[in-house]
Amino acid sequence: MTAEAPAGEVAIEVRGLRKSYGSLEAVRGIDLSVVRGEVFAMLGPNGAGKTTTVEILEGYRSRSSGEVRVLGHDPARRERDLMSRMGIVLQQSGVQQYLTVREVVAMYAGYYPHPRDVDEVIELVGLADAANRRILQLSGGQHRRVDVALALAGDPELLFLDEPTTGFDPSARRQAWDTVRSLAGLGKTVFLTTHFMDEAQALADRVAIIARGQIVALGSPNTLGARGSQATVIRFSLPDGVVPAEELGITRVSGGAWQVQTTEPTRVLHELTGWAVNAQVELVGLEVSRPSLEDVYLALTSEEDQEGAA
Ligand code: ATP
């Protein structure tokens, strides 16, 4: 696709990935690279193929074809070295309900050759106050944070988060975002899937928009917002009776409000402000807005025949 991975050591490399379930082709030729230290989000509606892709990367599902390298290994081989360097948060997980948070994290830490300090992990996910509570006493959001803590227990280089905030209330989501940012601050590579545009925008260095098993856009949240056929909108107001030069192609929205849509905002703004300076009129409330990631996402995914699109 369009955006190349930034320079740096590659953590994940995927070429021509395909996965079929019987006659259903759920992943239809995905290419992507994630560099170390990057937060990479795969954004798409229900059934787009996110979980299939992430579980292939984790070594939990087989692929039909294509090349996949994770930290230099083929995850399908499930080598111990690779598995101990990855942290995985599944969409559903079950842990021992009668153990405390600290006990569960300590137990998982014991499975790994170089675990992270247990209390540090608990702190990192924002559960310090609940460290001595039993799992069954926790709220839904706290459960999810335990899942993240378990994925961090082995001090992984690479963390997979499959829809990490689905079902969270707004404050739990913000806390989860802080945790992901802390992980990025520690230099971890994070691969996350999400339905939520704001989540991708808030967390990811780069976003792949996936629809019907294919990546339909790939880039930083900001460059994705600026891409494609969707025009930049320029708006302003003029005093009564003042009309912009006809050749500027600007249309009146109502009263003194004017607007133009363009895929060449630099040129149009130059001509517009040149005209205004010459005519000695102020472009009141001048506003230049680009399509947001949400606009792009909706435009790209609505063209697709998604089952139960988000
Ligand atoms: P969601 O956001 O709902 O989790 P997703 O983007 O993660 O969706 P996948 O779970 O990868 O999508 O599913 C992609 C497609 O493959 C869907 O049509 C789904 O029904 C189908 N699918 C997924 N897993 C299986 C399976 N084990 N057997 C058969 N079909 C499957």
Side-chain angles (χ1 to χ4, degrees):
M1 287 290 308
T2 45
E4 291 297 315
E9 208 183 327
V10 172
I12 299 174
E13 181 85 34
V14 174
R15 292 287 163 251
L17 178 64
R18 290 177 179 273
K19 172 70 179 180
S20 298
Y21 301 106
S23 62
L24 173 79
E25 213 181 5
V27 174
R28 303 188 297 148
I30 282 186
D31 298 319
L32 59 88
S33 307
V34 178
V35 298
R36 286 188 190 240
E38 202 178 10
V39 178
F40 188 93
M42 185 169 259
L43 171 67
N46 290 123
K50 301 181 297 298
T51 298
T52 299
T53 303
V54 80
E55 291 194 356
I56 290 170
L57 299 181
E58 293 165 349
Y60 283 107
R61 279 192 213 201
S62 62
R63 58 187 186 262
S64 302
S65 63
E67 291 297 315
V68 179
R69 305 297 286 176
V70 176
L71 302 176
H73 297 253
D74 180 347
R77 300 163 67 106
R78 297 179 57 86
E79 290 154 289
R80 183 185 283 254
D81 174 56
L82 174 62
M83 301 313 272
S84 70
R85 292 164 65 199
M86 297 192 298
I88 292 171
V89 182
L90 301 170
Q91 271 191 34
Q92 304 284 336
S93 76
V95 291
Q96 294 80 347
Q97 298 292 309
Y98 288 95
L99 296 181
T100 66
V101 170
R102 184 178 282 109
E103 286 166 348
V104 171
V105 176
M107 188 173 86
Y108 272 68
Y111 299 150
Y112 291 93
H114 308 289
R116 201 172 185 88
D117 178 78
V118 168
D119 285 314
E120 200 180 295
V121 169
I122 292 171
E123 174 81 38
L124 194 60
V125 299
L127 283 177
D129 293 342
N132 294 318
R133 298 195 28 210
R134 294 185 198 282
I135 300 298
L136 56 79
Q137 298 171 315
L138 303 179
S139 70
Q142 287 174 321
H143 266 276
R144 209 74 185 108
R145 279 187 262 162
V146 171
D147 294 338
V148 176
L150 300 183
L152 291 175
D155 197 20
E157 293 161 49
L158 168 62
L159 194 72
F160 289 103
L161 302 170
D162 196 6
E163 295 179 17
T165 64
T166 296
F168 278 23
D169 68 25
S171 91
R173 288 185 77 209
R174 295 294 156 145
Q175 282 170 358
W177 290 5
D178 287 344
T179 302
V180 174
R181 291 194 186 104
S182 306
L183 297 173
L186 293 171
K188 308 290 181 195
T189 309
V190 179
F191 188 103
L192 65 93
T193 71
T194 183
H195 291 147
F196 304 117
M197 272 86 52
D198 58 345
E199 188 156 293
Q201 188 126 32
L203 296 179
D205 298 307
R206 284 186 310 138
V207 179
I209 299 178
I210 179 170
R212 278 185 75 197
Q214 290 183 312
I215 292 177
V216 293
L218 176 60
S220 72
N222 290 336
T223 57
L224 279 183
R227 74 182 282 285
S229 56
Q230 296 202 15
T232 298
V233 179
I234 299 168
R235 296 188 183 85
F236 55 91
S237 297
L238 293 174
D240 282 351
V242 180
V243 174
E246 204 171 318
E247 63 270 21
L248 295 174
I250 296 173
T251 47
R252 190 196 298 268
V253 185
S254 66
W258 298 79
Q259 145 172 342
V260 59
Q261 287 195 18
T262 178
T263 53
E264 298 175 277
T266 310
R267 180 185 61 76
V268 171
L269 266 179
H270 179 73
E271 291 174 5
L272 172 65
T273 52
W275 166 81
V277 169
N278 270 335
Q280 297 191 323
V281 293
E282 184 62 30
L283 303 171
V284 177
L286 177 63
E287 192 182 286
V288 181
S289 56
R290 295 186 309 170
S292 66
L293 181 58
E294 180 163 356
D295 297 329
V296 173
Y297 172 81
L298 291 173
L300 288 170
T301 55
S302 66
E303 291 157 16
E304 309 285 331
D305 178 26
Q306 294 292 327
E307 52 160 71

